[in-house]
Amino acid sequence: MFSASGSFRGFRGASFAQMLNLPPTSGPRESNKHKSTFNGPWEGDSVRQGTKSFRPGPFGKSKVSPKVLVEKYKNGETNALSLLHQLAHVLLLHLEIKETVTAGNITGFYFAFAVVIDGVQHRTGMGVTKKEARLNAAKLALEEFLPHLGCLKSDLQRASDVPPPLPVKEEPSISDSYPCRAFYERKSSVNLQIPHAVKDQLSKLINRHQEFSTCGDTTAAFIIKTSSGCEVVALGTGNFNSKECVSSNGRVVHDSHGVVTARRSLMRYLYRHLLMYFSKNANLTEKSVFTPSANSNLLSLKSGITLHLYVNQLPKGAAQIPTKLRLNPFSITTLQVNSEISLHLLVEGKVLSIFSSTFDNSACEMVSMSTTDKITQWQVLGYQGALLSHFIEPVYVQSILVGDSGCTEIRGMEMSVNQRVEGITSQLPMFYCMMRPHISLVPSVVTSNTGSSQLTYGINWSEGDSSVEVVDGLEGKTIEESPFKSGPALASRLCKAAMLHRFRLVAKEAQRQDLVTTSCYRELKVTYVHISVSPTALPVSKSRVLFFYQPVLCQSSTK
């Protein structure tokens, strides 16, 4: 909860200065701060706990042909890890091997690692030892990377006469260090599958209702990826909060931003598949995405199913941190750094830091968390919400793809989602963890329509729906012209009352009488908190804040 006093207690992770990789405020800066721990020929190699990272140095590329290196690997003369490091040196790629988590349906104790090449994360490798897990991750990465080696080799040959760039004195950001990263992410076939799927699904929906074609620039979508391909299962657009105060009957949607709308549509998709699982029809049960968990009496996603999030705009809040944010005598102060990376709230249509004096002086009764902070929260608590947690284990997003055509830097998003809550996993209840998604830039699926008269409208859809629903974000209700309307009251199918109705249907099918008899939405959320977790107080004096975030998160919060 927000309290009148306090500080960011309980953080055991990186400080703001560490997250920003900030230079010292005085004294000369070393041009090569991190020395290599390897005895190989690679400059800029660094190793930290759980992660190995290779950064190409300023000494130019090797004369060894990539083809020769690959042939040695295929002949068994070298292993997958060695080949990755050699290719990174020859092709001047940024290579990182980072420790991650095993899938929720994997039993036993395993280590898990994933290879990241120029910002593109490949499949996770597992093993009973860290050495085995790294090697398996390297093998999986090469399976995906080697088919694209030909085009990279050609690019290298064309640039062979160009001398390597000289080292710079000031430490640049990731995008500055690797200008090819954004290009590689946008063009990689691995990343293009998801935006193509989103674009196809959005086009199908909009083509049926051309009058709402201008609602698509704030598109967000959840995609399920399996061995057979990608499928968009939930989609939402929108950019406004309701102008009304909290609705006592739960029939007003207060936050209609695209990501929030898509997430509520995802919850509808999960409810639908729970009904399929608990049905007495064997065919429907088999088609459900859920399976009994080996670690609990809950359900989990089937093996091989991963969830991904696409956003057409960089989310509001700390993700939009200035690209050149630095802490030094010639830049901004520590207080300004804290303000930029801190929690942000939406107040009367404005995004304000919790440190803002404008927020302290505001008399607005309707306040919500920024979209960035909600994503950060969901990457710890899961995207399923408290009610669904009565039936399923946490559902996390493996990657977040940003399709903002005007965005060239995702550093703020990476810091906000992956680093602000570092080190809290040990304080969380069973099944919860800090899931770090891979964040990358991809092509936009729709262009902006800033001159539209339908800016307050947003659409929502989930797999299985026959048509879209159009909601006026300022009113929090369905419009009269919407292709789908739940009734004369124009309550959206995303409102809390509708979610409670679906929850009771699932509880009845699952024969959970203890849940069927629970009377209200909030009671169901509070009853799920089976482990007491001490909240970390934040320096905010607004007890009326409705949506909140804390480093040690509690499922009883309003979402």
Side-chain angles (χ1 to χ4, degrees), residues 18-325:
Q18 290 171 327
M19 283 193 288
L20 294 169
N21 201 15
L22 301 173
T25 55
S26 60
R29 176 188 291 179
E30 296 181 75
S31 59
N32 187 15
K33 188 175 180 179
H34 303 284
K35 299 297 183 181
S36 172
T37 58
F38 294 105
N39 293 323
W42 304 301
E43 181 68 18
D45 236 3
S46 63
V47 177
R48 61 181 184 275
Q49 185 177 3
T51 305
K52 290 186 177 182
S53 179
F54 166 78
R55 296 171 182 263
F59 301 116
K61 58 180 178 62
S62 170
K63 295 181 180 180
V64 181
S65 168
K67 185 177 181 180
V68 173
L69 298 175
V70 173
E71 286 297 325
K72 288 184 177 181
Y73 169 67
K74 291 181 177 179
N75 294 333
E77 299 177 26
T78 183
N79 62 32
L81 271 175
S82 298
L83 177 61
L84 277 177
H85 282 284
Q86 291 167 351
L87 290 177
H89 177 57
V90 173
L91 301 175
L92 303 180
L93 302 173
H94 175 226
L95 173 64
E96 182 181 5
I97 304 174
K98 66 178 185 180
E99 189 168 7
T100 181
V101 296
T102 59
N105 56 352
I106 300 299
T107 59
F109 183 78
Y110 290 92
F111 293 99
F113 281 82
V115 173
V116 182
I117 302 175
D118 271 359
V120 177
Q121 182 169 322
H122 297 272
R123 287 181 291 169
T124 300
M126 293 182 293
V128 294
T129 66
K130 288 190 174 182
K131 181 178 180 180
E132 180 185 359
R134 288 193 186 100
L135 185 61
N136 288 335
K139 292 178 180 177
L140 293 173
L142 287 173
E143 289 179 8
E144 297 178 343
F145 179 71
L146 288 182
H148 304 284
L149 185 60
C151 62
L152 292 175
K153 179 183 175 183
S154 299
D155 292 340
L156 182 67
Q157 290 173 342
R158 286 194 295 268
S160 60
D161 296 331
V162 180
L166 295 175
V168 294
K169 187 174 184 179
E170 182 176 357
E171 183 180 81
S173 65
I174 294 177
S175 295
D176 295 333
S177 301
Y178 309 103
C180 65
R181 174 179 177 179
F183 173 80
Y184 182 76
E185 286 177 342
R186 292 181 191 272
K187 297 301 182 183
S188 170
S189 62
V190 177
N191 282 338
L192 287 179
Q193 294 178 16
I194 291 178
H196 282 169
V198 175
K199 187 173 184 178
D200 290 343
Q201 184 60 52
L202 183 63
S203 298
K204 291 177 183 177
L205 298 175
I206 294 299
N207 288 341
R208 300 173 192 168
H209 309 284
Q210 286 292 333
E211 64 272 27
F212 304 114
S213 61
T214 56
C215 297
D217 58 319
T218 55
T219 295
F222 286 93
I223 302 91
I224 278 184
K225 191 173 182 180
T226 63
S227 57
S228 58
C230 298
E231 179 186 9
V232 178
V233 297
L235 185 145
T237 73
N239 203 34
F240 285 89
N241 280 1
S242 169
K243 61 185 180 183
E244 295 187 18
C245 294
V246 177
S247 169
S248 59
N249 59 17
R251 286 177 166 79
V252 174
V253 178
H254 292 287
D255 191 341
S256 294
H257 285 79
V259 175
V260 180
T261 300
R263 184 251 183 173
R264 283 184 166 268
S265 298
L266 173 68
M267 293 166 67
R268 293 184 60 241
Y269 171 82
L270 298 177
Y271 275 120
R272 182 177 290 115
H273 277 261
L274 280 176
L275 288 173
M276 293 167 60
Y277 178 83
F278 288 119
S279 71
K280 297 177 175 59
N281 186 312
N283 290 332
L284 290 178
T285 301
E286 178 64 26
K287 291 179 180 179
S288 172
V289 297
F290 293 112
T291 188
S293 172
N295 303 316
S296 69
N297 59 352
L298 300 174
L299 302 177
S300 63
L301 293 178
K302 290 180 178 178
S303 176
I305 295 178
T306 57
L307 187 65
H308 306 265
L309 171 62
Y310 170 87
V311 291
N312 203 57
Q313 292 182 355
L314 200 62
K316 294 179 180 179
Q320 299 183 359
I321 185 174
T323 303
K324 298 296 183 181
L325 186 63

Side-chain angles (χ1 to χ4, degrees), residues 394-430:
V395 175
Y396 296 107
V397 156
Q398 301 296 320
S399 68
I400 300 176
L401 295 88
V402 181
D404 193 333
S405 57
C407 176
T408 58
E409 174 64 70
I410 53 175
R411 180 167 167 261
M413 187 75 174
E414 291 173 332
M415 291 167 52
S416 302
V417 176
N418 289 340
Q419 299 181 37
R420 285 192 300 174
V421 288
E422 188 77 41
I424 68 167
T425 300
S426 61
Q427 306 173 51
L428 297 171
M430 189 178 295

Side-chain angles (χ1 to χ4, degrees), residues 315-515:
K316 294 179 180 179
Q320 299 183 359
I321 185 174
T323 303
K324 298 296 183 181
L325 186 63
R326 294 286 185 272
L327 181 61
N328 57 55
F330 306 103
S331 186
I332 58 181
T333 65
T334 304
L335 179 60
Q336 287 173 301
V337 172
N338 289 341
S339 178
E340 294 288 354
I341 199 63
S342 70
L343 311 182
H344 286 70
L345 302 169
L346 293 171
V347 184
E348 297 178 328
K350 299 177 182 178
V351 182
L352 302 176
S353 166
I354 59 171
F355 295 105
S356 170
S357 59
T358 305
F359 170 63
D360 287 331
N361 299 327
S362 172
C364 180
E365 294 296 328
M366 185 61 203
V367 181
S368 68
M369 279 169 38
S370 70
T371 305
T372 300
D373 293 332
K374 288 188 175 184
I375 292 175
T376 306
Q377 184 186 52
W378 296 331
Q379 286 299 134
V380 177
L381 295 179
Y383 287 73
Q384 76 288 338
L387 269 63
L388 279 165
S389 295
H390 285 279
F391 305 106
I392 64 176
E393 292 182 358
V395 175
Y396 296 107
V397 156
Q398 301 296 320
S399 68
I400 300 176
L401 295 88
V402 181
D404 193 333
S405 57
C407 176
T408 58
E409 174 64 70
I410 53 175
R411 180 167 167 261
M413 187 75 174
E414 291 173 332
M415 291 167 52
S416 302
V417 176
N418 289 340
Q419 299 181 37
R420 285 192 300 174
V421 288
E422 188 77 41
I424 68 167
T425 300
S426 61
Q427 306 173 51
L428 297 171
M430 189 178 295
F431 309 125
Y432 294 92
C433 67
M434 172 55 213
M435 179 64 73
R436 299 173 183 83
H438 174 60
I439 304 172
S440 60
L441 291 170
V442 295
S444 175
V445 302
V446 64
T447 56
S448 177
N449 294 284
T450 56
S452 171
S453 60
Q454 300 177 341
L455 286 179
T456 63
Y457 292 177
I459 64 175
N460 67 78
W461 171 89
S462 68
E463 187 268 332
D465 290 341
S466 58
S467 59
V468 299
E469 180 185 63
V470 183
V471 175
D472 188 330
L474 292 180
E475 299 296 332
K477 292 188 176 183
T478 309
I479 66 172
E480 288 284 357
E481 300 82 7
S482 173
F484 174 87
K485 288 183 288 188
S486 58
L490 299 179
S492 170
R493 59 190 177 189
L494 301 184
C495 69
K496 290 185 178 180
M499 293 295 178
L500 180 59
H501 174 69
R502 293 185 185 89
F503 174 85
R504 286 173 173 163
L505 289 177
V506 173
K508 183 178 180 180
E509 290 291 327
Q511 300 181 355
R512 292 286 304 273
Q513 294 302 318
D514 57 318
L515 300 177

